[in-house]
């Protein structure tokens, strides 16, 4: 498109943004208007995309990091012919695909859900990394950021990652409109301030007037021709550009224009100009073609093996069988054992350093391109990426996350390193799966199983060694459990997972010596939970004791209760969990101090059975 | 101390680090040895600190961001006479104050718990901000970081904050030993790479040989005399410095030295040199002196008021009564209503921009200095700071966190903006309090109450207006609840909080018209929970329905179950929560779609009562 056409297209995007927000009665038209010229130039002159085939491997990828500017995105889709007029005006209404913030759950052209600021660039970096090192089909990744969101550390975590990886297939455009939600941003229109920062992280920087379509056009060309570095285009813009009554004014964030009709007239009226978006080049997916025999590690029952070791070995084996599996490390691969994968498949191993937000964002970005990522770090440090996990679930993107060093059982390192809130965090995420194996063969099987699930899949591993109790041929369906000990005389049920399974088994033996028979259930699938088996155990034994190496809120105990919220009678129940703030101590001392060792379990079980008899 | 003495002191710190880790059989001596010269110079020649009075308002403040180098810190405490030889050798043992990673729960000289990397600087920025704008007693804040942790975005979020606030009372020392846990860092010994980054964020930078005590000494003087900017001292060091067999070698992170005896000999043997740390200047606390009458806002029953509005007004009033209350905003103060505080107390209001990790870290830092911070943003975005909240609880630092725009009830903005996991997150944190008011007077009272609690206190507020149902004189103790409707004929109990209280009341009225009496409990204290009232309701009515605008895991429903895990019989129970992924829709449509509106509650209650009768 030439200058005149680009200007006209940009005005149409503004008009359609104003119209959509006006029809909705809410939304962010002024944040859309500032970036309309950038969007018009990018769409008309620089994007290669087949709207009929959003999964085309040659398609360029676009992420609207400032997701509240969704009216602009939808206006662009309309200009590209992907949406019609009528649908545009369903914006923000119940049942519409055009949500307040765009998500790929509803719209096939959206790569990742945005709306939590500072996440679009990190995910874009993940996509660009996939493009550069995995897909290699030549697509470019473009991310449109707001200026306010550059206050998020995650943006600089991503900038560091992209600079270090020389992602010259990545272009970021910052819509520097100087106004955030509640007033001026930190740096206002000081483009140099942003340029210094990106430059320091080894980016190529371009500063432009964000309302000069020719300058923008040249900036995109410069970005495309820059090699060895990602490029950021810093665009000086005005919020609400084009309508005098709102332009560059405070207090108008997230509000429809006061007089939409007048504004539309001022912007040149309603038009239905179309953009012929360039088609992508022919390209094919690499990762679909490779697969081989799965040679999963097998562990001998009775041997002592840490589940983190089993994870590393199983992942390496899975990587041999599936060419689409990739592994990501947060600079603790020697501890999580992700390094076992690195040794066998270095070309599919990604070091994300100590940057857990980028670790998860890279996984999300790669998953959007069809790869099957396993991102691992200490369970405790995955809390750093909670908001990224939450947004991945909004996207509906499937990623495998593995947290090692769970619970007080890690011993001397103390509470900062203990994952004690991870089960609660992952259980509360929509459509998640939470798995917590207690032995090596179970771990290996679950590592393979999780790859085939939808949504967020979390595997919790342990630092210390524990006995292998299952044979290598045993199966562990998601939503299942294993009854490790049962008799007709059972008077209570011990429900455990991970390290506490072994403690529960020892407790059951101790109780047996006193003449109290206890059932033991290994609840390796914490979510979804095996309601039928728990219900049956409750009905047959009457009493349940849950025991977990986790805080008492939101973990295994609460998961067990899930089975009893259907209005039917509930068993007597006691739960054992970590209720103190641990210090340093040996693993055995930690379990005892937290009251989740065999002795504590037996004591609780004994008391519960006696109480139940009396009443 | 002169050059010779400093060198000797540094060697002693190395020796004591080696000894401590050797006695423990674990720990991070090589990470301690790289920073020993920096520590020696800082302690002997630049620190002003009274170890007898850690709360002295004139004390300099030190944060060991690389918390795994705890042996070095404890060796320094020993050199300063604060610890003795015997205690040093209890390192990492059960019951010892000398944990694997230092925490203020056990040691009075530790400002904040570290061990989750990238958090020491953010908290240090909070302390420095308190020093500069609140305490004004002239203390300096020094933070010792590792190089690996500079990959964390939170470090750059903090760097941006410190540069923008001109925190010239802050000195950061980066121990650039080039080796992380699993191998080389991103930038190795390229000090310029780090200098460019800090410089871009408006810091003064100094590069030194981190084993040249005179150069280090000059660097600290330069930092102290730099005005208008924070200073970073980039110290080029060698991991394991001083012992040839481990120096600058990979694969030795977090391990005692292979031959401690030989290493100690190589380092010059065991000594017990003492440092006379300079005393702080006379100074007094500002915040203890001011307090006045609390003129809390009062709302008329029947009026429609959003709880976020009540929060803002109550916080502004509390700020008038208490001079130690400060408010922090994540650039959404117009939405959370924190801006009401800003208008009345601008000198105690801190804009943290869109940077939730720094928002919470600033609150933690200020709390360590005795201030009472209220940090607020959208509930959804507090997930961004989950790891900071977790570490604040390890510290035992008391902060007030307020999350607005909770649940699907926000309406059109969609899932990215909906706090649906916040209750689970905050409940799972050790020693936390979780409050969720349903009306304006209740909110106002709880805002005041939370200031007086220990640990993490979370208040959840709502976007939309709801009727005031309590008089302004009603009291709301933590751990309590309100029975809003009860009779001798109640056949079920509806348990709700926040927006669902009003839905539950409407449901009870609808059931009443059908001849089913329902009790209604407002469970505003989600943690701790009112076990007695819930137990009584269960025994008297037999059936419970919980209803919450939150995911079904870890929230109100699980909190209610807490009351029934004491081994006594449990009522029949059904819980209603958000089980879908919402899109955009009006608040009423959202509640209905999620099945947590009055109609859904009534239907669930009806079914539960009928089921209970049949069986």
């Amino acid at each position: 498109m030439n200058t005149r056409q680009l200007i006209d297209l940009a005005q149409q995007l503004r008009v359609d943004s104003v119209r959509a927000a006006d029809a909705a009665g809410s939304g962010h038209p002024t944040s859309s208007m500032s970036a309309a010229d950038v969007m018009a130039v990018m769409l008309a002159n620089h994007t290669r995309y087949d709207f009929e085939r959003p999964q085309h491997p040659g398609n360029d990828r676009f992420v609207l990091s400032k997701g509240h500017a969704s009216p602009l995105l939808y206006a662009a889709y309309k200009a590209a012919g992907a949406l019609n007029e009528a649908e545009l005006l369903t914006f923000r209404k119940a049942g519409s695909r055009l949500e307040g913030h765009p998500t790929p759950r509803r719209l096939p052209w959206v790569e990742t859900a945005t709306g939590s600021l500072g996440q679009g660039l990190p995910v874009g970096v993940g996509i660009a990394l996939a493009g550069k090192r995995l897909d290699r089909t030549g697509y470019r990744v473009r991310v449109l950021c707001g200026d306010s969101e550059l206050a998020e550390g995650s943006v600089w975590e991503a900038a560091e990652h992209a600079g270090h990886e020389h992602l010259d297939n990545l272009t970021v455009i910052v819509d520097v409109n100087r106004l955030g939600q509640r007033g001026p941003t930190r740096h206002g229109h000081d483009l140099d301030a942003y340029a210094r920062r990106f430059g320091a992280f080894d980016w190529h920087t371009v500063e432009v007037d964000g309302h000069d379509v020719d300058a923008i056009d040249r900036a995109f060309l410069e970005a495309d021709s820059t090699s060895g570095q990602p490029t950021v285009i810093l665009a000086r813009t005005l919020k609400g550009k084009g309508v005098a009554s709102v332009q560059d004014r405070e207090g108008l964030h997230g509000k429809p224009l006061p007089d939409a009709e007048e504004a539309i007239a001022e912007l040149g009226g309603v038009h239905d100009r179309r953009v012929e978006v360039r088609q992508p080049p022919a390209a094919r997916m690499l990762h679909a073609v490779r697969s081989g025999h799965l040679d999963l590690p097998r562990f001998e029952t009775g041997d002592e093996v840490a589940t983190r070791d089993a994870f590393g070995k199983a992942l390496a084996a899975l990587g041999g069988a599936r060419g689409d599996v990739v592994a990501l490390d947060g600079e603790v691969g020697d501890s999580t054992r992700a390094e076992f994968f690195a040794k066998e498949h270095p070309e599919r191993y990604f070091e994300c350093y100590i940057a857990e937000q980028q670790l998860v964002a890279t996984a999300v970005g790669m998953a959007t391109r069809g790869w099957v990522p396993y991102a691992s770090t200490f369970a405790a440090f995955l809390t750093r990426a909670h908001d990224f996990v939450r947004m991945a679930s909004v996207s509906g993107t499937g990623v495998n996350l593995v947290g090692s060093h769970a619970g007080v059982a890690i011993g001397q390192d103390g509470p900062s390193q203990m994952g004690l809130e991870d089960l609660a965090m992952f259980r509360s995420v929509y459509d998640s799966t939470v798995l917590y194996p207690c032995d090596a063969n179970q771990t290996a099987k679950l590592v393979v199983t999780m790859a085939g699930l939808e949504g967020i899949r979390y595997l919790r591993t342990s630092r210390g060694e524990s006995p292998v109790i299952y044979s290598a041929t045993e199966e562990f369906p998601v939503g299942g459990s294993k009854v490790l000990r049962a008799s007709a005389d059972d008077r209570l049920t011990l429900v455990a997972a991970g390290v506490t399974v072994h403690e529960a088994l020892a407790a059951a033996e101790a109780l047996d010596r006193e003449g109290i028979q206890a059932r033991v259930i290994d609840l390796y699938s914490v979510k979804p939970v095996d309601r039928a088996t728990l219900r049956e155990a409750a009905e047959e034994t009457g009493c349940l004791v849950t025991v977990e190496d986790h805080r008492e809120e939101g973990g295994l105990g609460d998961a067990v209760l899930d089975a009893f919220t259907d209005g039917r009678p509930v068993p007597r129940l006691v739960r054992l969990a970590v209720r103190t703030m641990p210090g340093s101590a040996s693993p055995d001392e930690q379990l005892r101090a937290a009251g989740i060792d065999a002795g504590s379990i037996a004591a609780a079980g004994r008391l519960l059975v006696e109480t139940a008899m009396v009443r």
Side-chain angles (χ1 to χ4, degrees), chain A residues 283-573:
Chain A
R284 71 195 181 91
M285 309 283 263
L286 285 176
H287 55 76
V289 296
R290 297 176 43 196
S291 75
H293 173 69
L294 174 62
D295 189 16
L296 209 56
R298 302 165 70 90
F299 304 92
E300 291 300 315
T301 55
D303 282 2
E304 296 273 330
V305 183
T307 55
R308 60 173 169 152
D309 286 321
F311 156 69
K313 289 176 182 172
L315 187 62
L318 184 64
R322 292 184 61 154
D324 55 357
V325 166
V326 297
L328 299 89
D329 171 35
E331 222 251 83
V332 286
D334 53 335
S335 288
T336 60
R337 308 306 199 212
E339 66 176 13
F340 297 167
F341 184 99
K343 284 185 185 120
E344 296 190 27
H345 316 287
E347 75 290 357
R348 281 182 276 138
Y349 187 75
F350 297 85
E351 182 55 74
C352 298
Y353 295 91
I354 300 183
E356 295 78 13
Q357 297 186 100
Q358 190 57 46
L359 174 74
V360 172
T362 304
V364 171
M366 290 181 168
T368 69
R369 302 303 319 116
W371 298 90
V372 180
Y374 283 74
S376 52
T377 182
F378 283 26
F381 305 143
L382 283 170
T383 57
R384 200 66 156 259
H386 190 164
D387 199 25
F388 283 76
V389 172
R390 182 179 77 85
M391 288 302 296
S393 88
V394 172
S395 287
T397 306
V399 291
N400 304 290
L401 302 175
V402 181
S404 71
H405 292 67
V408 301
I410 66 164
Q412 289 82 354
D413 272 336
S416 65
Q417 317 293 301
M418 293 170 174
L420 286 170
E421 303 82 5
D422 54 324
L423 295 178
M425 177 175 95
F426 283 106
R427 279 184 70 245
S428 73
V429 171
Y430 176 73
D431 204 20
S432 63
T433 302
V434 179
L435 305 169
Y436 183 17
C438 71
D439 99 333
N441 284 319
Q442 192 179 44
T443 305
K445 286 288 174 71
L446 291 174
V447 166
V448 176
T449 299
M450 66 196 291
L453 306 176
E454 300 287 311
I456 307 294
R457 316 124 197 186
Y458 177 59
L459 182 82
R460 187 186 216 218
T461 68
S462 300
R463 176 176 182 271
E465 294 177 348
S466 55
V468 177
I469 61 172
Y470 295 110
S471 86
T473 56
E474 188 101 20
E475 296 298 329
F476 303 95
V478 170
S481 66
K482 292 289 172 186
V483 179
L484 292 173
R485 192 181 166 115
S487 78
D489 303 324
D490 291 342
R491 291 158 67 192
L492 83 159
T493 302
L494 308 177
V495 186
V499 293
T500 60
V501 167
H502 309 285
E503 301 296 322
L505 285 169
E509 279 176 31
L511 289 169
D512 191 1
R513 288 192 290 272
E514 301 171 24
I516 300 172
Q517 299 300 316
R519 186 166 300 186
V520 177
I521 295 178
D522 168 14
L523 201 72
Y524 63 84
S525 178
V526 178
K527 180 184 174 186
V529 80
D530 185 351
R531 289 191 172 81
T533 301
L534 290 169
R535 168 65 65 185
E536 183 181 303
E539 284 170 359
E540 292 178 9
T541 72
C543 299
L544 292 187
V545 176
T546 68
V547 53
E548 62 194 300
D549 194 355
H550 183 274
R551 294 283 170 212
E552 63 183 317
E553 298 89 358
L556 184 79
D558 282 352
V560 167
L561 287 165
D562 265 0
F564 304 104
T565 52
D566 59 359
R568 288 189 286 168
V570 180
R572 289 168 185 268
L573 199 137

Side-chain angles (χ1 to χ4, degrees), chain A residues 71-399:
Chain A
L72 176 65
L73 184 69
Y74 304 148
Y77 289 161
K78 172 174 163 283
L83 291 183
N84 63 26
E85 172 90 8
E87 187 168 9
L88 179 72
L89 300 178
T90 66
F91 179 51
R92 282 175 165 250
K93 293 202 173 75
S96 171
R97 297 194 294 174
L98 310 189
E99 294 190 75
H101 299 77
T103 82
R105 279 187 185 274
R106 324 251 170 188
L107 285 173
W109 317 293
V110 175
E111 304 294 333
T112 190
T114 50
S116 180
L117 292 170
Q119 297 207 21
L121 176 55
V123 174
V125 168
I127 303 173
L129 201 57
K132 194 94 184 162
R133 285 185 45 191
L134 296 168
D135 293 332
R136 296 194 290 270
T137 55
Y139 58 78
R140 289 197 66 81
V141 180
R142 299 188 183 89
V143 180
L144 178 60
C145 291
D147 45 358
S148 269
E149 65 177 314
L150 301 190
E152 290 282 9
S154 57
V155 167
W156 303 105
E157 201 171 302
E160 175 75 294
H161 201 80
H164 186 249
E165 296 281 354
H166 307 290
L167 298 181
D168 51 16
N169 58 340
L170 174 67
T171 304
V172 168
I173 311 97
V174 184
D175 177 25
V176 187
N177 66 21
R178 107 176 165 82
L179 290 175
Q181 171 176 326
R182 65 107 222 79
T185 60
R186 234 178 209 138
H187 300 296
H189 269 141
D190 183 1
L191 298 192
D192 289 349
Y194 297 118
R196 277 197 306 277
R197 287 158 175 74
F198 277 100
F201 285 100
D202 301 321
W203 284 54
H204 180 63
T205 64
V206 187
E207 299 180 31
V208 294
D209 174 349
H211 300 310
D212 176 341
V213 292
D214 293 325
I216 298 167
D217 203 47
R218 287 191 299 272
F220 275 111
L221 284 174
E222 184 173 329
D224 289 359
S225 63
T226 297
S227 78
Q229 287 184 299
T231 295
V232 60
I233 300 172
L234 298 161
R236 186 188 191 284
T237 63
L238 299 176
K239 202 158 175 170
K241 167 74 180 177
V243 175
S245 62
V246 301
Q247 183 173 302
D248 201 30
R249 296 215 180 165
E250 289 189 39
L252 294 163
H253 181 93
K255 292 173 184 163
L257 264 53
D259 189 332
E261 208 172 320
E262 196 177 276
I264 292 165
E266 189 176 344
L267 290 165
V270 174
H271 293 276
D272 194 18
R273 302 181 183 100
R274 289 299 169 91
V275 182
E276 279 298 321
V277 176
R278 255 204 303 169
Q279 288 292 302
R284 71 195 181 91
M285 309 283 263
L286 285 176
H287 55 76
V289 296
R290 297 176 43 196
S291 75
H293 173 69
L294 174 62
D295 189 16
L296 209 56
R298 302 165 70 90
F299 304 92
E300 291 300 315
T301 55
D303 282 2
E304 296 273 330
V305 183
T307 55
R308 60 173 169 152
D309 286 321
F311 156 69
K313 289 176 182 172
L315 187 62
L318 184 64
R322 292 184 61 154
D324 55 357
V325 166
V326 297
L328 299 89
D329 171 35
E331 222 251 83
V332 286
D334 53 335
S335 288
T336 60
R337 308 306 199 212
E339 66 176 13
F340 297 167
F341 184 99
K343 284 185 185 120
E344 296 190 27
H345 316 287
E347 75 290 357
R348 281 182 276 138
Y349 187 75
F350 297 85
E351 182 55 74
C352 298
Y353 295 91
I354 300 183
E356 295 78 13
Q357 297 186 100
Q358 190 57 46
L359 174 74
V360 172
T362 304
V364 171
M366 290 181 168
T368 69
R369 302 303 319 116
W371 298 90
V372 180
Y374 283 74
S376 52
T377 182
F378 283 26
F381 305 143
L382 283 170
T383 57
R384 200 66 156 259
H386 190 164
D387 199 25
F388 283 76
V389 172
R390 182 179 77 85
M391 288 302 296
S393 88
V394 172
S395 287
T397 306
V399 291

